[in-house]
Amino acid sequence: MSLRLEAALDARDVAVSLSLDHGETLAVLGPNGAGKSTVLGMLAGLVRPDRGSATLGDDVLFDLPASWRPPHRRGVALLAQDALLFPHLTVRHNVAFGPRSSGATRSEAGAIADEWLRRTATDAFADRRPAQLSGGQAQRVAIARALAAEPSLLLLDEPLSALDVAVAADVRGMLADVLADRTTVLVTHDALDAYLLADRVAVMHDGRVVEEGPTRRVLERPRHPFTAELSGLTLVRGVRTPDGMRADDGMLLPGEPVDPVEQGAPVLAAVRPSAVRLARPDAGTIAATVTALEPQADLVRVRTDRLDALVPPADVADLRLRVGAHVALGVPPSAVTLYPA
Ligand SMILES: Nc1ncnc2c1ncn2[C@@H]1O[C@H](COP(=O)(O)OP(=O)(O)OP(=O)(O)O)[C@@H](O)[C@H]1O
């Protein structure tokens, strides 16, 4: 069911407008304190905004001050970072709980539970209690329990962040299957979650949605520095030149805009650090100063006052890079995505 939300909560300085079509997954990305959980709370009915409204299909979740539907009458399931299963019930009974509460007979609820246990690959431990599950198993069961209740809207608050990397990948794969065609809002810090699970993303910063749109467009052509950081890109503002762009600080970058832009018109460039080359200060075109060195997998992210570069540790040693060192950057056109500002 399609979702529309427009609401504000002054005490948290959160004011948002979001919409989502039926069956789509929206990833809400943003730094700590951006307001992501507050948005989920408003939709779940746990946080009451000062004003605004939300609709899910034809249902009005709230339209303040006139109406406010309580959480259990919204058809919304919220899944938090921790699984929060009922500790005294078996896995199967945890999953059957939702259908039972909404009137299914014991055997109907059992059949629904078995189907979701199968789809989430948790049927092997159906008779265990939550205390006997690993974190990844418990999170799978929590997903099964949420979906067995057949919510019209599924809300996921960083469902993978408490899991270690290998388990998170496994659960992410399962989520990709069960979220298809299901209206879902997913809060995450991780661009990979957005790429693999979401049709659209909304990026929040300081209580506002700063950009919103189809996942790849937003993450590959960011308009806000935080979005660029999430995607691992460097965002540069400037104006269009015959060969590319001139940045606000005078730096010239090569490239062809993805959409037509007139000469002199404002453009943005998203630069891939892995394609930026580093050289000794006298050997390249763009002079820069190193501001930070951050290990990333088998490479080092060299942050500079101009662009970032992602290079092997040996390059860092050969060029004697340290914070404050001068370096030259080489930027091939393939490193740059240019688009209208
Ligand atoms: N229960 C609460 N009472 C009062 N203020 C709160 C409460 N929870 C969050 N806030 C404030 O509301 C703002 C938004 O917080 P929120 O938890 O929604 O952000 P978030 O994007 O989910 O952050 P995180 O990624 O750290 O979970 C912050 O300024 C926060 O301090």
Side-chain angles (χ1 to χ4, degrees):
M1 255 173 273
S2 63
L3 174 70
R4 304 273 174 273
L5 167 72
E6 183 150 11
L9 177 55
D10 295 335
R12 299 193 192 176
D13 193 20
V14 171
V16 287
S17 169
L18 287 175
S19 61
L20 189 59
D21 283 340
H22 175 76
E24 285 188 325
T25 294
L26 173 75
V28 180
L29 297 162
N32 291 327
K36 306 180 298 294
S37 301
T38 300
V39 167
L40 290 194
M42 289 173 175
L43 293 170
L46 304 174
V47 173
R48 191 183 180 109
D50 296 314
R51 57 194 169 277
S53 63
T55 55
L56 182 57
D58 295 331
D59 287 345
V60 178
L61 301 181
F62 61 87
D63 189 0
L64 294 168
S67 74
W68 177 258
R69 202 182 272 226
H72 61 278
R73 291 193 45 236
R74 292 193 174 200
V76 173
L78 171 64
L79 184 68
Q81 198 170 322
D82 297 315
L84 300 175
L85 298 169
F86 301 121
H88 58 291
L89 296 181
T90 63
V91 163
R92 190 161 185 266
H93 285 128
N94 262 281
V95 179
F97 185 86
R100 267 305 256 167
S101 312
S102 55
T105 65
R106 190 181 292 265
S107 70
E108 284 165 351
I112 294 168
D114 287 342
E115 168 64 10
W116 281 105
L117 292 173
R118 188 187 60 71
R119 288 185 67 179
T120 53
T122 51
D123 35 2
F125 29 87
D127 296 323
R128 287 196 207 164
R129 292 191 195 266
Q132 299 167 298
L133 301 176
S134 72
Q137 291 167 343
Q139 198 60 312
R140 282 173 177 273
V141 173
I143 292 164
R145 184 180 61 171
L147 294 175
E150 289 177 26
S152 303
L153 173 65
L154 180 64
L155 306 175
L156 302 171
D157 197 352
E158 307 210 26
L160 306 179
S161 63
L163 308 178
D164 65 41
V165 176
V167 177
D170 205 26
V171 177
R172 189 186 288 112
M174 183 273 285
L175 270 178
D177 292 338
V178 299
L179 296 189
D181 303 327
R182 189 171 296 279
T183 314
T184 304
V185 180
L186 162 75
V187 163
T188 178
H189 276 100
D190 191 340
L192 184 62
D193 288 345
Y195 268 112
L196 297 182
L197 300 175
D199 305 290
R200 303 178 68 78
V201 303
V203 181
M204 288 193 69
H205 197 260
D206 289 344
R208 305 290 182 277
V209 175
V210 293
E211 56 184 316
E212 200 270 339
T215 301
R216 285 187 180 220
R217 195 202 14 86
V218 172
L219 294 179
E220 291 171 11
R221 299 184 206 170
R223 301 190 160 272
H224 192 276
F226 175 76
T227 318
E229 182 73 26
L230 265 175
S231 302
L233 303 169
T234 311
L235 182 63
V236 182
R237 286 174 194 283
V239 293
R240 172 95 163 96
T241 61
D243 302 324
M245 80 177 306
R246 180 187 301 106
D248 293 346
D249 67 359
M251 171 173 64
L252 295 173
L253 293 178
E256 191 60 38
V258 291
D259 295 315
V261 186
E262 283 177 29
Q263 302 295 325
V267 280
L268 293 168
V271 184
R272 280 188 305 117
S274 56
V276 172
R277 289 189 298 269
L278 294 181
R280 295 188 194 286
D282 52 2
T285 49
I286 300 172
T289 304
V290 176
T291 56
L293 297 167
E294 298 168 6
Q296 284 187 7
D298 64 334
L299 298 172
V300 179
R301 189 175 185 107
V302 179
R303 293 189 187 267
T304 79
D305 57 344
R306 290 284 185 56
L307 302 170
D308 294 358
L310 202 55
V311 299
D315 289 11
V316 175
D318 291 347
L319 292 165
R320 297 177 187 278
L321 295 183
R322 62 202 65 185
V323 173
H326 297 295
V327 68
L329 308 177
V331 185
S334 61
V336 181
T337 304
L338 267 188
Y339 43 101

PDB file of all heavy atoms in Angstrom, residues 9 11-14 28-40 47 81 157-158 187-189 204 206-207, ligand 1:
ATOM      1  N   LEU A   9       7.961  17.309  14.476  1.00  0.00           N
ATOM      2  CA  LEU A   9       8.035  17.202  15.934  1.00  0.00           C
ATOM      3  C   LEU A   9       9.082  18.216  16.393  1.00  0.00           C
ATOM      4  O   LEU A   9      10.294  18.005  16.225  1.00  0.00           O
ATOM      5  CB  LEU A   9       8.435  15.770  16.336  1.00  0.00           C
ATOM      6  CG  LEU A   9       8.623  15.508  17.823  1.00  0.00           C
ATOM      7  CD1 LEU A   9       7.392  15.907  18.624  1.00  0.00           C
ATOM      8  CD2 LEU A   9       8.941  14.037  18.056  1.00  0.00           C
ATOM      9  N   ALA A  11      10.182  19.336  19.313  1.00  0.00           N
ATOM     10  CA  ALA A  11      11.120  19.053  20.400  1.00  0.00           C
ATOM     11  C   ALA A  11      12.373  18.332  19.890  1.00  0.00           C
ATOM     12  O   ALA A  11      13.442  18.438  20.481  1.00  0.00           O
ATOM     13  CB  ALA A  11      10.437  18.211  21.476  1.00  0.00           C
ATOM     14  N   ARG A  12      12.248  17.607  18.801  1.00  0.00           N
ATOM     15  CA  ARG A  12      13.417  16.919  18.231  1.00  0.00           C
ATOM     16  C   ARG A  12      13.910  17.619  16.959  1.00  0.00           C
ATOM     17  O   ARG A  12      14.773  17.111  16.271  1.00  0.00           O
ATOM     18  CB  ARG A  12      13.077  15.467  17.907  1.00  0.00           C
ATOM     19  CG  ARG A  12      12.674  14.678  19.133  1.00  0.00           C
ATOM     20  CD  ARG A  12      12.644  13.200  18.831  1.00  0.00           C
ATOM     21  NE  ARG A  12      11.983  12.476  19.904  1.00  0.00           N
ATOM     22  CZ  ARG A  12      11.737  11.179  19.874  1.00  0.00           C
ATOM     23  NH1 ARG A  12      12.108  10.470  18.813  1.00  0.00           N
ATOM     24  NH2 ARG A  12      11.134  10.587  20.881  1.00  0.00           N
ATOM     25  N   ASP A  13      13.286  18.754  16.616  1.00  0.00           N
ATOM     26  CA  ASP A  13      13.622  19.484  15.395  1.00  0.00           C
ATOM     27  C   ASP A  13      13.595  18.563  14.172  1.00  0.00           C
ATOM     28  O   ASP A  13      14.502  18.557  13.339  1.00  0.00           O
ATOM     29  CB  ASP A  13      14.997  20.159  15.534  1.00  0.00           C
ATOM     30  CG  ASP A  13      15.227  21.176  14.414  1.00  0.00           C
ATOM     31  OD1 ASP A  13      14.231  21.615  13.810  1.00  0.00           O
ATOM     32  OD2 ASP A  13      16.385  21.494  14.127  1.00  0.00           O
ATOM     33  N   VAL A  14      12.527  17.776  14.085  1.00  0.00           N
ATOM     34  CA  VAL A  14      12.347  16.870  12.942  1.00  0.00           C
ATOM     35  C   VAL A  14      11.120  17.337  12.152  1.00  0.00           C
ATOM     36  O   VAL A  14      10.053  17.544  12.739  1.00  0.00           O
ATOM     37  CB  VAL A  14      12.154  15.411  13.419  1.00  0.00           C
ATOM     38  CG1 VAL A  14      11.750  14.515  12.246  1.00  0.00           C
ATOM     39  CG2 VAL A  14      13.438  14.881  14.059  1.00  0.00           C
ATOM     40  N   VAL A  28      16.085   4.812   4.505  1.00  0.00           N
ATOM     41  CA  VAL A  28      16.317   6.122   5.102  1.00  0.00           C
ATOM     42  C   VAL A  28      17.734   6.110   5.665  1.00  0.00           C
ATOM     43  O   VAL A  28      18.054   5.320   6.556  1.00  0.00           O
ATOM     44  CB  VAL A  28      15.292   6.426   6.209  1.00  0.00           C
ATOM     45  CG1 VAL A  28      15.570   7.798   6.814  1.00  0.00           C
ATOM     46  CG2 VAL A  28      13.877   6.373   5.651  1.00  0.00           C
ATOM     47  N   LEU A  29      18.587   6.951   5.095  1.00  0.00           N
ATOM     48  CA  LEU A  29      19.995   6.997   5.468  1.00  0.00           C
ATOM     49  C   LEU A  29      20.266   8.308   6.192  1.00  0.00           C
ATOM     50  O   LEU A  29      19.610   9.312   5.919  1.00  0.00           O
ATOM     51  CB  LEU A  29      20.874   6.959   4.218  1.00  0.00           C
ATOM     52  CG  LEU A  29      20.795   5.707   3.336  1.00  0.00           C
ATOM     53  CD1 LEU A  29      21.356   6.023   1.953  1.00  0.00           C
ATOM     54  CD2 LEU A  29      21.583   4.585   3.965  1.00  0.00           C
ATOM     55  N   GLY A  30      21.256   8.298   7.065  1.00  0.00           N
ATOM     56  CA  GLY A  30      21.616   9.557   7.719  1.00  0.00           C
ATOM     57  C   GLY A  30      22.496   9.303   8.913  1.00  0.00           C
ATOM     58  O   GLY A  30      22.516   8.191   9.437  1.00  0.00           O
ATOM     59  N   PRO A  31      23.235  10.326   9.357  1.00  0.00           N
ATOM     60  CA  PRO A  31      24.125  10.152  10.505  1.00  0.00           C
ATOM     61  C   PRO A  31      23.342  10.016  11.813  1.00  0.00           C
ATOM     62  O   PRO A  31      22.122  10.210  11.833  1.00  0.00           O
ATOM     63  CB  PRO A  31      24.960  11.432  10.504  1.00  0.00           C
ATOM     64  CG  PRO A  31      24.140  12.434   9.779  1.00  0.00           C
ATOM     65  CD  PRO A  31      23.273  11.691   8.817  1.00  0.00           C
ATOM     66  N   ASN A  32      24.046   9.706  12.895  1.00  0.00           N
ATOM     67  CA  ASN A  32      23.402   9.604  14.208  1.00  0.00           C
ATOM     68  C   ASN A  32      22.674  10.899  14.524  1.00  0.00           C
ATOM     69  O   ASN A  32      23.193  11.981  14.281  1.00  0.00           O
ATOM     70  CB  ASN A  32      24.451   9.349  15.304  1.00  0.00           C
ATOM     71  CG  ASN A  32      25.050   7.963  15.185  1.00  0.00           C
ATOM     72  OD1 ASN A  32      24.376   7.024  14.782  1.00  0.00           O
ATOM     73  ND2 ASN A  32      26.311   7.854  15.517  1.00  0.00           N
ATOM     74  N   GLY A  33      21.469  10.753  15.044  1.00  0.00           N
ATOM     75  CA  GLY A  33      20.716  11.923  15.466  1.00  0.00           C
ATOM     76  C   GLY A  33      20.014  12.651  14.333  1.00  0.00           C
ATOM     77  O   GLY A  33      19.420  13.707  14.542  1.00  0.00           O
ATOM     78  N   ALA A  34      20.049  12.105  13.114  1.00  0.00           N
ATOM     79  CA  ALA A  34      19.430  12.789  11.968  1.00  0.00           C
ATOM     80  C   ALA A  34      17.912  12.774  12.036  1.00  0.00           C
ATOM     81  O   ALA A  34      17.248  13.573  11.381  1.00  0.00           O
ATOM     82  CB  ALA A  34      19.889  12.142  10.660  1.00  0.00           C
ATOM     83  N   GLY A  35      17.347  11.829  12.797  1.00  0.00           N
ATOM     84  CA  GLY A  35      15.890  11.765  12.915  1.00  0.00           C
ATOM     85  C   GLY A  35      15.279  10.519  12.290  1.00  0.00           C
ATOM     86  O   GLY A  35      14.051  10.409  12.185  1.00  0.00           O
ATOM     87  N   LYS A  36      16.104   9.566  11.911  1.00  0.00           N
ATOM     88  CA  LYS A  36      15.608   8.375  11.215  1.00  0.00           C
ATOM     89  C   LYS A  36      14.651   7.556  12.088  1.00  0.00           C
ATOM     90  O   LYS A  36      13.562   7.182  11.658  1.00  0.00           O
ATOM     91  CB  LYS A  36      16.794   7.483  10.779  1.00  0.00           C
ATOM     92  CG  LYS A  36      17.838   8.224   9.958  1.00  0.00           C
ATOM     93  CD  LYS A  36      18.987   7.331   9.531  1.00  0.00           C
ATOM     94  CE  LYS A  36      19.806   6.725  10.656  1.00  0.00           C
ATOM     95  NZ  LYS A  36      20.571   7.691  11.457  1.00  0.00           N
ATOM     96  N   SER A  37      15.080   7.287  13.326  1.00  0.00           N
ATOM     97  CA  SER A  37      14.230   6.475  14.213  1.00  0.00           C
ATOM     98  C   SER A  37      12.955   7.220  14.580  1.00  0.00           C
ATOM     99  O   SER A  37      11.900   6.609  14.786  1.00  0.00           O
ATOM    100  CB  SER A  37      14.977   6.099  15.490  1.00  0.00           C
ATOM    101  OG  SER A  37      16.130   5.371  15.155  1.00  0.00           O
ATOM    102  N   THR A  38      13.051   8.543  14.654  1.00  0.00           N
ATOM    103  CA  THR A  38      11.860   9.344  14.945  1.00  0.00           C
ATOM    104  C   THR A  38      10.821   9.156  13.841  1.00  0.00           C
ATOM    105  O   THR A  38       9.624   9.006  14.112  1.00  0.00           O
ATOM    106  CB  THR A  38      12.251  10.834  15.093  1.00  0.00           C
ATOM    107  OG1 THR A  38      13.188  10.943  16.172  1.00  0.00           O
ATOM    108  CG2 THR A  38      11.049  11.715  15.358  1.00  0.00           C
ATOM    109  N   VAL A  39      11.274   9.126  12.608  1.00  0.00           N
ATOM    110  CA  VAL A  39      10.350   8.915  11.478  1.00  0.00           C
ATOM    111  C   VAL A  39       9.677   7.549  11.603  1.00  0.00           C
ATOM    112  O   VAL A  39       8.451   7.422  11.448  1.00  0.00           O
ATOM    113  CB  VAL A  39      11.105   9.048  10.138  1.00  0.00           C
ATOM    114  CG1 VAL A  39      10.270   8.536   8.988  1.00  0.00           C
ATOM    115  CG2 VAL A  39      11.504  10.498   9.910  1.00  0.00           C
ATOM    116  N   LEU A  40      10.467   6.521  11.909  1.00  0.00           N
ATOM    117  CA  LEU A  40       9.857   5.196  12.076  1.00  0.00           C
ATOM    118  C   LEU A  40       8.859   5.208  13.227  1.00  0.00           C
ATOM    119  O   LEU A  40       7.783   4.608  13.133  1.00  0.00           O
ATOM    120  CB  LEU A  40      10.931   4.126  12.338  1.00  0.00           C
ATOM    121  CG  LEU A  40      11.847   3.742  11.191  1.00  0.00           C
ATOM    122  CD1 LEU A  40      12.600   2.470  11.516  1.00  0.00           C
ATOM    123  CD2 LEU A  40      11.094   3.580   9.879  1.00  0.00           C
ATOM    124  N   VAL A  47       5.706   7.504  18.383  1.00  0.00           N
ATOM    125  CA  VAL A  47       6.125   8.894  18.578  1.00  0.00           C
ATOM    126  C   VAL A  47       5.044   9.772  17.955  1.00  0.00           C
ATOM    127  O   VAL A  47       4.705   9.601  16.779  1.00  0.00           O
ATOM    128  CB  VAL A  47       7.486   9.163  17.878  1.00  0.00           C
ATOM    129  CG1 VAL A  47       7.845  10.630  17.931  1.00  0.00           C
ATOM    130  CG2 VAL A  47       8.590   8.315  18.501  1.00  0.00           C
ATOM    131  N   GLN A  81      16.696  -3.140  15.939  1.00  0.00           N
ATOM    132  CA  GLN A  81      18.046  -3.713  15.830  1.00  0.00           C
ATOM    133  C   GLN A  81      18.146  -5.020  16.608  1.00  0.00           C
ATOM    134  O   GLN A  81      18.747  -5.981  16.143  1.00  0.00           O
ATOM    135  CB  GLN A  81      18.972  -2.675  16.437  1.00  0.00           C
ATOM    136  CG  GLN A  81      20.391  -2.789  16.093  1.00  0.00           C
ATOM    137  CD  GLN A  81      21.114  -1.534  16.569  1.00  0.00           C
ATOM    138  OE1 GLN A  81      20.606  -0.416  16.495  1.00  0.00           O
ATOM    139  NE2 GLN A  81      22.299  -1.723  17.065  1.00  0.00           N
ATOM    140  N   ASP A 157      14.434  -1.047  11.561  1.00  0.00           N
ATOM    141  CA  ASP A 157      15.367  -0.072  12.126  1.00  0.00           C
ATOM    142  C   ASP A 157      16.739  -0.722  12.281  1.00  0.00           C
ATOM    143  O   ASP A 157      16.975  -1.440  13.251  1.00  0.00           O
ATOM    144  CB  ASP A 157      14.848   0.436  13.476  1.00  0.00           C
ATOM    145  CG  ASP A 157      15.548   1.722  13.897  1.00  0.00           C
ATOM    146  OD1 ASP A 157      16.528   2.119  13.227  1.00  0.00           O
ATOM    147  OD2 ASP A 157      15.127   2.334  14.898  1.00  0.00           O
ATOM    148  N   GLU A 158      17.603  -0.498  11.329  1.00  0.00           N
ATOM    149  CA  GLU A 158      18.952  -1.074  11.324  1.00  0.00           C
ATOM    150  C   GLU A 158      18.946  -2.558  11.667  1.00  0.00           C
ATOM    151  O   GLU A 158      19.584  -2.983  12.628  1.00  0.00           O
ATOM    152  CB  GLU A 158      19.844  -0.307  12.304  1.00  0.00           C
ATOM    153  CG  GLU A 158      19.798   1.176  12.003  1.00  0.00           C
ATOM    154  CD  GLU A 158      21.083   1.883  12.377  1.00  0.00           C
ATOM    155  OE1 GLU A 158      22.112   1.224  12.401  1.00  0.00           O
ATOM    156  OE2 GLU A 158      21.011   3.083  12.617  1.00  0.00           O
ATOM    157  N   VAL A 187      15.636   1.725   7.866  1.00  0.00           N
ATOM    158  CA  VAL A 187      16.643   2.679   8.340  1.00  0.00           C
ATOM    159  C   VAL A 187      17.992   1.977   8.363  1.00  0.00           C
ATOM    160  O   VAL A 187      18.113   0.867   8.890  1.00  0.00           O
ATOM    161  CB  VAL A 187      16.280   3.188   9.754  1.00  0.00           C
ATOM    162  CG1 VAL A 187      17.484   3.836  10.427  1.00  0.00           C
ATOM    163  CG2 VAL A 187      15.145   4.193   9.669  1.00  0.00           C
ATOM    164  N   THR A 188      18.986   2.600   7.756  1.00  0.00           N
ATOM    165  CA  THR A 188      20.312   1.983   7.731  1.00  0.00           C
ATOM    166  C   THR A 188      21.399   3.048   7.649  1.00  0.00           C
ATOM    167  O   THR A 188      21.156   4.177   7.243  1.00  0.00           O
ATOM    168  CB  THR A 188      20.437   1.005   6.540  1.00  0.00           C
ATOM    169  OG1 THR A 188      21.749   0.460   6.515  1.00  0.00           O
ATOM    170  CG2 THR A 188      20.168   1.699   5.210  1.00  0.00           C
ATOM    171  N   HIS A 189      22.612   2.652   8.076  1.00  0.00           N
ATOM    172  CA  HIS A 189      23.785   3.522   7.912  1.00  0.00           C
ATOM    173  C   HIS A 189      24.583   3.106   6.682  1.00  0.00           C
ATOM    174  O   HIS A 189      25.563   3.740   6.333  1.00  0.00           O
ATOM    175  CB  HIS A 189      24.728   3.340   9.117  1.00  0.00           C
ATOM    176  CG  HIS A 189      24.371   4.160  10.291  1.00  0.00           C
ATOM    177  ND1 HIS A 189      23.692   3.665  11.368  1.00  0.00           N
ATOM    178  CD2 HIS A 189      24.598   5.461  10.566  1.00  0.00           C
ATOM    179  CE1 HIS A 189      23.517   4.626  12.248  1.00  0.00           C
ATOM    180  NE2 HIS A 189      24.054   5.721  11.785  1.00  0.00           N
ATOM    181  N   MET A 204      18.633  11.751   5.354  1.00  0.00           N
ATOM    182  CA  MET A 204      18.245  12.721   6.383  1.00  0.00           C
ATOM    183  C   MET A 204      19.476  13.352   7.018  1.00  0.00           C
ATOM    184  O   MET A 204      20.504  12.701   7.193  1.00  0.00           O
ATOM    185  CB  MET A 204      17.411  12.042   7.480  1.00  0.00           C
ATOM    186  CG  MET A 204      16.028  11.675   7.014  1.00  0.00           C
ATOM    187  SD  MET A 204      14.955  11.246   8.406  1.00  0.00           S
ATOM    188  CE  MET A 204      14.766  12.841   9.216  1.00  0.00           C
ATOM    189  N   ASP A 206      20.091  16.485  10.173  1.00  0.00           N
ATOM    190  CA  ASP A 206      19.508  17.492  11.068  1.00  0.00           C
ATOM    191  C   ASP A 206      17.984  17.549  11.001  1.00  0.00           C
ATOM    192  O   ASP A 206      17.383  18.627  10.910  1.00  0.00           O
ATOM    193  CB  ASP A 206      20.072  18.885  10.746  1.00  0.00           C
ATOM    194  CG  ASP A 206      21.523  19.006  11.179  1.00  0.00           C
ATOM    195  OD1 ASP A 206      21.973  18.162  11.975  1.00  0.00           O
ATOM    196  OD2 ASP A 206      22.197  19.946  10.726  1.00  0.00           O
ATOM    197  N   GLY A 207      17.337  16.385  11.001  1.00  0.00           N
ATOM    198  CA  GLY A 207      15.881  16.347  11.093  1.00  0.00           C
ATOM    199  C   GLY A 207      15.143  16.627   9.801  1.00  0.00           C
ATOM    200  O   GLY A 207      13.916  16.748   9.797  1.00  0.00           O
TER     201      GLY A 207
HETATM  202  N1  LIG B   1      13.182   9.668  23.276  1.00  0.00           N
HETATM  203  C1  LIG B   1      13.661  10.856  22.905  1.00  0.00           C
HETATM  204  N2  LIG B   1      13.346  11.967  23.587  1.00  0.00           N
HETATM  205  C2  LIG B   1      13.799  13.174  23.222  1.00  0.00           C
HETATM  206  N3  LIG B   1      14.603  13.384  22.159  1.00  0.00           N
HETATM  207  C3  LIG B   1      14.958  12.331  21.444  1.00  0.00           C
HETATM  208  C4  LIG B   1      14.512  11.007  21.759  1.00  0.00           C
HETATM  209  N4  LIG B   1      15.023  10.154  20.856  1.00  0.00           N
HETATM  210  C5  LIG B   1      15.759  10.900  20.005  1.00  0.00           C
HETATM  211  N5  LIG B   1      15.720  12.202  20.357  1.00  0.00           N
HETATM  212  C6  LIG B   1      16.376  13.322  19.652  1.00  0.00           C
HETATM  213  O1  LIG B   1      15.744  13.469  18.397  1.00  0.00           O
HETATM  214  C7  LIG B   1      16.696  13.721  17.359  1.00  0.00           C
HETATM  215  C8  LIG B   1      16.591  12.634  16.298  1.00  0.00           C
HETATM  216  O2  LIG B   1      16.992  11.373  16.871  1.00  0.00           O
HETATM  217  P1  LIG B   1      16.741   9.968  16.183  1.00  0.00           P
HETATM  218  O3  LIG B   1      16.985   8.907  17.202  1.00  0.00           O
HETATM  219  O4  LIG B   1      15.441   9.979  15.484  1.00  0.00           O
HETATM  220  O5  LIG B   1      17.921   9.963  15.105  1.00  0.00           O
HETATM  221  P2  LIG B   1      18.519   8.752  14.277  1.00  0.00           P
HETATM  222  O6  LIG B   1      18.767   9.313  12.927  1.00  0.00           O
HETATM  223  O7  LIG B   1      17.624   7.571  14.375  1.00  0.00           O
HETATM  224  O8  LIG B   1      19.887   8.494  15.010  1.00  0.00           O
HETATM  225  P3  LIG B   1      20.692   7.097  15.271  1.00  0.00           P
HETATM  226  O9  LIG B   1      21.277   6.722  13.940  1.00  0.00           O
HETATM  227  O10 LIG B   1      21.726   7.519  16.259  1.00  0.00           O
HETATM  228  O11 LIG B   1      19.699   6.117  15.797  1.00  0.00           O
HETATM  229  C9  LIG B   1      18.048  13.780  18.046  1.00  0.00           C
HETATM  230  O12 LIG B   1      18.345  15.136  18.277  1.00  0.00           O
HETATM  231  C10 LIG B   1      17.833  13.033  19.333  1.00  0.00           C
HETATM  232  O13 LIG B   1      18.682  13.535  20.334  1.00  0.00           O
END
